[in-house]
Amino acid sequence: MIPWGAASDRPPVIHPRHRSDAPGSLIVALFVQKFGGSSVADAESIKRVAKRIVDTRRAGHDVVVAVSAMGDTTDELLDLAGQVAPIPAPRELDMLLSSGERISMALLAMAIHSMGFEARSFTGSQAGMITDATHGAARIVDVTPVRLREALDEGAIVIVAGFQGFNRDTRDITTLGRGGSDTTAVALAAALKADVCEIYSDVDGIFTADPRVVPRAQKLTHVSSEEMLELAANGAKVLYIRAVEYARRHGVLIHARSTFSSGEGTWVLGPGMSLPAGTEGAEMEEPIVAGVATDLSQAKITVIGVPDVPGKAAEIFKIVAKSGANVDMIVQNVSAAATGRTDISFTLPKEDAALALRALAAEQGEVGFESLVHDDQIGKLSVVGAGMRTHSGVSATLFEALSVSGINIEMISTSEIRISVVVSGDELAEAARVVHTAYGLDGDAEAVVHAGTGR
Amino acid sequence: MIPWGAASDRPPVIHPRHRSDAPGSLIVALFVQKFGGSSVADAESIKRVAKRIVDTRRAGHDVVVAVSAMGDTTDELLDLAGQVAPIPAPRELDMLLSSGERISMALLAMAIHSMGFEARSFTGSQAGMITDATHGAARIVDVTPVRLREALDEGAIVIVAGFQGFNRDTRDITTLGRGGSDTTAVALAAALKADVCEIYSDVDGIFTADPRVVPRAQKLTHVSSEEMLELAANGAKVLYIRAVEYARRHGVLIHARSTFSSGEGTWVLGPGMSLPAGTEGAEMEEPIVAGVATDLSQAKITVIGVPDVPGKAAEIFKIVAKSGANVDMIVQNVSAAATGRTDISFTLPKEDAALALRALAAEQGEVGFESLVHDDQIGKLSVVGAGMRTHSGVSATLFEALSVSGINIEMISTSEIRISVVVSGDELAEAARVVHTAYGLDGDAEAVVHAGTGR
């Protein structure tokens, strides 16, 4: 299991440095590697990950690792918290949850140590992960990895607790919220000017579609960060939007790959970045469409019989926004001249629907609409590709493919590099397959889906 | 469950301070309370402990709590460590183990918070628990509880992680080793000039003997710290020697009591300390004997046929010491004039016996003894009492009681306030009962033994 094929004959490229004591290779790279909870779920997995890290070190590179809590630790701790306090104090909840990564990082450091390599673990505060004081969803405001640099200079492998930080004013421990460990890894890579930030998970990389939905989906050699953002925002699970945004802003090269195979994953390229020299497919021409994302997590609300007068839409969405619901797509049908009324549909996360419906119903008289229709059996399909900017007819291909297979489109929305349609939830999988084929994304073989996929 | 009966009518005494905002009582005391792992084993226990702490706060007092890891957490973490590394790196082991108290203290703070009281948890380093760099058995070198003072001044209940500290030079987390949380509590009490350090456990206090061995054992109202040290050193389990020593050195008043009852426990008085005013039994005359300790953890080794020439004993115990074994009692029999040889017996912890035997056997030719006899079925009984200094005939009572019941004494050793004898292990319990009776220590009723006792 040597990282990216043979690291020695395929050196990473962005900030190569010389180091005399690097065996087998003159160019030393700094790798940041992130391992999620499922990769360190038990002692065996931790030893596997340790071997993986040691292999990178053996190839002569510096390694900084960001690690999540073991398996379901975080959920178990949350459950305990719920048992002692209905609404746990946020400061204490962060103190509690931050212990999960301390366990995994200490075990990982021990495992590496027992393989004969110096390894040191650091908490978020020891690593200089400075955040604001928002417990449970802290934003990183600064990274001062002084101790990490010292450890690296002393030849140690550095293990950092993902997901956690430290606020300078309150001197309290904070956590970064959902996808926090990915963000930790990218932030460390940026602060340490790492050559690459490897995000390990139980899938091989970014696919042209979810292999569990589209068996002929292919792994992408690379994807632009703007495409990745659209894919993630529209249902792709492999990377968290926040981490990709951070990487894009700070020029961090992300390599999304699998803990369970040594093959290459998918490179996420920010503006002006190119693939490491010699990476297969580096010369390939950009495809028009990068991938097809599917999302079953949304519901649709239609406000029927809205008086077709200026300002009504604004009125409706002010109400929805006040309810705390997060609106995604919006479509207003053409007004039926006879009635002078129109229908307005929008999508939002299933869990927000109840809130929005209650808020709207309360204002029905005020707004003057006739009724509300709620549909939580919808599916959203999105086609993403930077090529859309320069190629016409991309949407036509989509609509053609769906109509041929008799799939009805309920809503449409587009961005500069994305077309999304809402279809019936039970037709989403078939829609994804036919669209995937229509854009010529099908692979020759069926993609291998790992046991752990989707965890 | 109001601490020591009714705190309002029985104020603690050592450093009373005035505080206007203390409801129901003008004198505000600072309580340090320590709760062990079995007291916070699960959500229910944590809530019970939280209520206990809140009751002290309600009585108008300041409270600082030192808490251990939940139930078997520490053992489970050690087990995990063993699975990933045969010999875990000490620095990482401390990082790992220190997470246990973070979990319990955060949960405890949440529970208190949800009862409507401000509570804040602090790690060893946040609490200013400065130690040397000896991982796994760090010594406290300084306590700088700046943040704790701030929190107290802001009216918060302070929860501190027991067992852990921080080294200034390495900036690494350390742990204090066995009994660490007791030491944390006493050290905090000393640094904060607390009025009392309450060590909660699942027994009612210090007894004149182990109630599981001597049913008529009585709870002591108070015991001097020097007596407590002898009792702890000779088998009594309730308090750790290290904590008692620290308390004695720094003038901390310890109150050993039960988490499961609101009754008073046992006061451990250092030099010059007196019982809080109004404490029952404060006027009682000092008994000659404080208690009877029993210990089944030792083994006896007899070196037979040692040439009765000067320096042989020294030779033998130099060998034993080099083996790392910890010798307790030593007895040299009178030399048999005929042979010019003598026997030397000594006791040591069962787990050290193998080492010592191997070391001695290796040097048999050198020392010139005839053989080695190993007996791990011995029991050690110790009678402890400061009154021995001034009263004669204390040992006579002991020997008399044992001979009357036909219990053979194998070894004898004494200190200024202690007499210890070694008997056959299977006779230890009976020996303890007859001696307990002989010194008039029997109570009228049998002591209640809690379910949790001995955990």
Side-chain angles (χ1 to χ4, degrees):
Chain A
M1 293 204 304
I2 302 174
W4 51 13
S8 47
D9 63 45
R10 196 186 292 161
V13 288
I14 297 181
H15 324 279
R17 290 168 286 128
H18 257 276
R19 200 176 71 178
S20 48
D21 68 339
S25 139
L26 272 178
I27 295 178
V28 176
L30 173 56
F31 281 64
V32 171
Q33 302 182 324
K34 180 263 177 173
F35 295 93
S38 64
S39 302
V40 292
D42 53 32
E44 277 321 299
S45 321
I46 288 172
K47 284 193 253 182
R48 188 195 303 116
V49 166
K51 171 150 188 357
R52 181 114 211 183
I53 294 165
V54 163
D55 286 335
T56 311
R57 188 78 185 86
R58 279 219 179 85
H61 304 301
D62 289 334
V63 191
V64 172
V65 175
V67 66
S68 304
M70 293 172 71
D72 307 325
T73 309
T74 305
D75 293 338
E76 287 160 17
L77 291 173
L78 279 170
D79 176 57
L80 265 174
Q83 288 178 48
V84 298
I87 304 137
R91 175 191 187 273
E92 300 306 326
L93 194 56
D94 277 357
M95 179 68 87
L96 178 72
L97 295 182
S98 67
S99 64
E101 284 75 25
R102 288 167 76 101
I103 294 172
S104 52
M105 76 179 186
L107 290 170
L108 186 53
M110 286 175 197
I112 293 169
H113 211 273
S114 72
M115 293 176 181
F117 287 78
E118 171 68 4
R120 267 174 247 165
S121 69
F122 297 93
T123 64
S125 48
Q126 290 176 332
M129 195 63 59
I130 312 297
T131 73
D132 63 19
T134 319
H135 286 293
R139 313 288 305 179
I140 296 170
V141 295
D142 191 11
V143 182
T144 56
V146 184
R147 294 190 65 179
L148 309 192
R149 281 232 172 276
E150 289 172 6
L152 287 172
D153 293 345
E154 289 162 34
I157 292 168
V158 168
I159 316 289
V160 177
F163 179 72
Q164 60 184 256
F166 173 78
N167 179 265
R168 277 199 182 115
D169 309 326
T170 63
R171 288 166 298 170
D172 286 335
I173 284 135
T174 56
T175 61
L176 307 180
R178 210 148 167 288
S181 295
D182 286 13
T183 313
T184 300
V186 172
L188 288 173
L192 294 166
K193 301 207 180 334
D195 300 282
V196 59
C197 178
E198 297 185 322
I199 308 281
Y200 286 87
S201 71
D202 41 28
V203 294
D204 287 338
I206 317 296
F207 282 72
T208 51
D210 182 340
R212 288 162 300 171
V213 177
V214 181
R216 292 212 172 273
Q218 302 185 76
K219 190 187 72 194
L220 291 161
T221 330
H222 59 282
V223 62
S224 73
S225 53
E226 65 175 346
E227 287 170 325
M228 189 64 238
L229 286 170
E230 286 281 9
L231 289 169
N234 291 282
K237 295 269 180 307
V238 185
L239 293 176
Y240 283 95
I241 297 180
R242 217 171 130 195
V244 178
E245 277 172 348
Y246 198 106
R248 182 178 171 76
R249 230 178 14 260
H250 295 82
V252 172
L253 175 65
I254 290 178
H255 187 195
R257 53 194 312 200
S258 168
T259 314
F260 305 96
S261 85
S262 60
E264 273 206 40
T266 303
W267 298 88
V268 181
L269 304 174
M273 288 186 190
S274 59
L275 282 177
T279 309
E280 62 191 52
E283 309 72 20
M284 267 174 42
E285 199 201 344
E286 290 298 330
I288 296 166
V289 169
V292 176
T294 49
D295 184 359
L296 280 168
S297 71
Q298 296 204 335
K300 182 177 76 172
I301 291 175
T302 304
V303 189
I304 294 181
V306 181
D308 195 5
V309 295
K312 278 298 167 187
E315 216 176 314
I316 287 169
F317 290 105
K318 213 174 292 161
I319 294 166
V320 175
K322 263 224 240 72
S323 78
N326 217 325
V327 171
D328 176 22
M329 294 169 69
I330 299 175
V331 168
Q332 173 164 351
N333 300 355
V334 290
S335 167
T339 63
R341 289 177 174 277
T342 182
D343 303 338
I344 297 179
S345 298
F346 60 92
T347 65
L348 71 183
K350 279 195 169 94
E351 60 271 23
D352 293 357
L355 285 171
L357 287 167
R358 210 175 305 115
L360 284 168
E363 304 285 339
Q364 177 161 13
E366 193 52 43
V367 182
F369 61 83
E370 286 161 4
S371 61
L372 294 170
V373 177
H374 172 225
D375 179 0
D376 63 1
Q377 298 304 311
I378 63 164
K380 180 177 162 191
L381 178 146
S382 303
V383 176
V384 173
M388 291 187 191
R389 285 211 191 79
T390 47
H391 293 70
S392 55
V394 177
S395 53
T397 310
L398 169 62
F399 302 142
E400 172 70 12
L402 292 178
S403 69
V404 165
S405 17
I407 296 169
N408 181 46
I409 299 174
E410 300 179 17
M411 296 173 78
I412 300 174
S413 83
T414 63
S415 85
E416 204 185 7
I417 65 168
R418 172 182 57 84
I419 313 166
S420 298
V421 296
V422 167
V423 299
S424 162
D426 51 26
E427 289 182 323
L428 182 62
E430 194 204 341
R433 284 188 289 270
V434 296
V435 169
H436 196 265
T437 306
Y439 285 108
L441 296 173
D442 288 357
D444 311 333
E446 295 206 348
V448 182
V449 179
H450 290 288
T453 301
R455 258 190 304 188
Chain B
M1 293 205 306
I2 302 175
W4 49 11
S8 46
D9 63 47
R10 196 186 290 161
V13 287
I14 298 182
H15 324 279
R17 287 167 290 131
H18 258 275
R19 201 176 69 176
S20 49
D21 69 337
S25 141
L26 272 178
I27 294 177
V28 175
L30 172 56
F31 282 62
V32 171
Q33 302 181 325
K34 180 263 179 174
F35 295 93
S38 63
S39 302
V40 292
D42 53 32
E44 277 321 301
S45 321
I46 287 172
K47 284 193 253 183
R48 188 195 303 115
V49 166
K51 170 148 188 356
R52 182 115 210 182
I53 294 165
V54 164
D55 285 335
T56 311
R57 188 80 186 84
R58 279 218 180 86
H61 304 301
D62 289 335
V63 190
V64 172
V65 175
V67 65
S68 305
M70 293 171 71
D72 308 325
T73 309
T74 304
D75 293 338
E76 287 160 17
L77 291 173
L78 279 169
D79 176 58
L80 264 175
Q83 288 178 47
V84 298
I87 303 137
R91 176 192 188 272
E92 300 305 326
L93 195 56
D94 277 356
M95 178 69 86
L96 177 71
L97 295 182
S98 67
S99 64
E101 284 75 25
R102 288 167 77 99
I103 294 173
S104 52
M105 75 178 186
L107 290 170
L108 187 53
M110 285 176 200
I112 293 169
H113 211 272
S114 72
M115 293 177 180
F117 287 78
E118 171 68 3
R120 265 174 249 166
S121 69
F122 297 93
T123 64
S125 49
Q126 290 176 332
M129 195 63 57
I130 313 297
T131 73
D132 63 19
T134 319
H135 286 292
R139 313 288 304 180
I140 297 170
V141 296
D142 191 11
V143 182
T144 56
V146 184
R147 293 191 65 179
L148 309 192
R149 280 233 172 275
E150 290 173 4
L152 287 172
D153 293 344
E154 289 162 32
I157 291 168
V158 169
I159 315 290
V160 177
F163 178 71
Q164 59 184 257
F166 173 79
N167 179 265
R168 277 199 183 116
D169 310 328
T170 63
R171 288 164 298 169
D172 286 335
I173 285 134
T174 56
T175 61
L176 307 180
R178 213 150 165 286
S181 295
D182 286 12
T183 314
T184 299
V186 172
L188 288 172
L192 294 166
K193 302 205 181 331
D195 300 280
V196 59
C197 178
E198 297 186 322
I199 307 280
Y200 285 88
S201 72
D202 40 27
V203 294
D204 287 337
I206 317 297
F207 282 72
T208 51
D210 183 340
R212 288 162 300 173
V213 177
V214 181
R216 291 210 171 275
Q218 302 184 76
K219 190 188 70 192
L220 291 161
T221 331
H222 59 283
V223 62
S224 73
S225 52
E226 66 175 344
E227 287 169 326
M228 189 64 237
L229 287 170
E230 286 282 9
L231 288 169
N234 291 283
K237 295 269 180 309
V238 185
L239 293 176
Y240 284 94
I241 296 181
R242 221 173 125 191
V244 178
E245 277 171 348
Y246 198 106
R248 183 178 169 76
R249 237 187 356 269
H250 295 81
V252 173
L253 175 65
I254 290 179
H255 186 195
R257 55 193 310 200
S258 167
T259 312
F260 305 97
S261 86
S262 59
E264 274 206 37
T266 302
W267 299 87
V268 182
L269 304 174
M273 286 187 191
S274 59
L275 281 178
T279 309
E280 60 191 54
E283 306 72 20
M284 268 172 43
E285 196 201 346
E286 290 299 328
I288 296 165
V289 168
V292 177
T294 49
D295 185 358
L296 280 168
S297 70
Q298 296 203 337
K300 182 177 76 170
I301 291 175
T302 304
V303 190
I304 294 179
V306 182
D308 194 6
V309 296
K312 279 297 169 190
E315 213 177 317
I316 286 171
F317 290 105
K318 212 176 291 163
I319 294 166
V320 175
K322 263 223 238 77
S323 79
N326 218 326
V327 172
D328 176 21
M329 294 169 67
I330 298 175
V331 168
Q332 173 162 352
N333 301 356
V334 292
S335 168
T339 63
R341 289 177 175 276
T342 182
D343 303 339
I344 295 179
S345 298
F346 59 92
T347 64
L348 72 182
K350 280 195 170 93
E351 60 271 23
D352 292 358
L355 284 171
L357 288 166
R358 209 175 304 117
L360 284 167
E363 303 285 340
Q364 179 163 11
E366 194 52 44
V367 182
F369 61 83
E370 286 163 1
S371 62
L372 292 170
V373 177
H374 172 224
D375 178 359
D376 63 1
Q377 298 304 311
I378 64 165
K380 180 178 163 193
L381 179 147
S382 303
V383 176
V384 173
M388 291 186 190
R389 284 212 190 81
T390 48
H391 292 70
S392 56
V394 177
S395 52
T397 309
L398 169 63
F399 303 142
E400 171 70 11
L402 292 178
S403 69
V404 164
S405 13
I407 296 169
N408 181 45
I409 299 174
E410 301 180 15
M411 295 173 78
I412 302 174
S413 83
T414 63
S415 85
E416 204 186 6
I417 64 168
R418 173 182 55 85
I419 313 165
S420 298
V421 297
V422 167
V423 300
S424 162
D426 50 25
E427 290 182 324
L428 182 62
E430 195 204 341
R433 283 189 290 272
V434 297
V435 169
H436 195 265
T437 306
Y439 285 108
L441 296 173
D442 288 357
D444 311 331
E446 296 206 348
V448 182
V449 178
H450 288 286
T453 303
R455 260 191 303 189

